[in-house]
Amino acid sequence: MSEFTLTLIKLAFLAVLWLFVIAAVGVIRADLFGSKAASKAASRAAQPPRPAKAARQPKPPSAAPPQQPHSAQQGAPTKLVVVQGERAGTVIDLTGVPITIGRANDATLVVTDDYASSRHARLYAQDGQWIVEDLGSTNGTYLGRTKVSRPMPVPPGVPVRIGKTVIELRK
């Protein structure tokens, strides 16, 4: 092979090596500090809803009274309680805002557990019930004794285990 070809191969190999290093640093950074998309979604969820513009249709005076939020409906849970783990006794009011659980500092419930991922699981309200979703964690999320492989409804009083932390929804 010519000297020029060997130099091109060396430069291509060096470029691929640097791309690998940059990708590895990006993954480590996202795991330690969280991804931009997750932090933007969390900040959007924390903001109060915008008021309706006056140009929209006005509400008729004979309209039915507004529905109660799902957390105030009969039989729906109103709080999330940590029953086991380092954060045992912690209570979070359920307001309809999604709750993220994990080791990341921007999680709603931060758990310092070696068996929890930085973004381990999410609880969110849908159609009057609370749903638990595993966010691709390494060690899994368990609803009762069942491993959560897809979004599943969480009945009140049924334990949700994330590493050594156990939480329940209560009325």
Side-chain angles (χ1 to χ4, degrees):
M1 280 195 206
S2 71
E3 184 76 26
F4 180 69
T5 306
L6 288 176
T7 304
L8 284 178
I9 291 173
K10 288 178 186 178
L11 288 175
F13 178 72
L14 189 61
V16 170
L17 182 64
W18 273 108
L19 287 175
F20 175 75
V21 169
I22 291 170
V25 168
V27 168
I28 292 170
R29 184 181 155 271
D31 192 40
L32 290 176
F33 303 112
S35 67
K36 291 179 184 178
S39 62
K40 285 181 183 178
S43 66
R44 267 187 267 132
Q47 292 176 349
R50 295 178 184 167
K53 293 182 179 179
R56 293 188 182 169
Q57 295 178 356
K59 187 176 179 182
S62 62
Q67 293 261 342
Q68 291 181 341
H70 65 277
S71 60
Q73 290 177 352
Q74 185 177 10
T78 59
K79 58 188 172 184
L80 178 140
V81 180
V82 179
V83 295
Q84 191 175 8
E86 283 188 26
R87 304 285 306 252
T90 303
V91 178
I92 298 174
D93 290 328
L94 300 176
T95 59
V97 177
I99 297 171
T100 56
I101 305 164
R103 290 191 333 235
N105 290 333
D106 62 345
T108 310
L109 177 60
V110 178
V111 291
T112 54
D113 186 345
D114 291 338
Y115 299 104
S117 300
S118 56
R119 277 174 191 64
H120 196 100
R122 176 171 77 119
L123 279 167
Y124 60 94
Q126 181 179 15
D127 298 329
Q129 61 185 352
W130 284 89
I131 309 292
V132 65
E133 176 184 19
D134 186 83
L135 299 176
S137 65
T138 305
N139 295 314
T141 302
Y142 291 85
L143 177 62
R145 293 184 178 199
T146 307
K147 187 171 184 174
V148 176
S149 58
R150 57 179 174 73
M152 299 174 70
V154 181
V158 175
V160 177
R161 185 169 56 83
I162 295 168
K164 295 179 181 177
T165 304
V166 179
I167 60 174
E168 289 181 3
L169 298 181
R170 295 190 179 164
K171 297 178 185 178

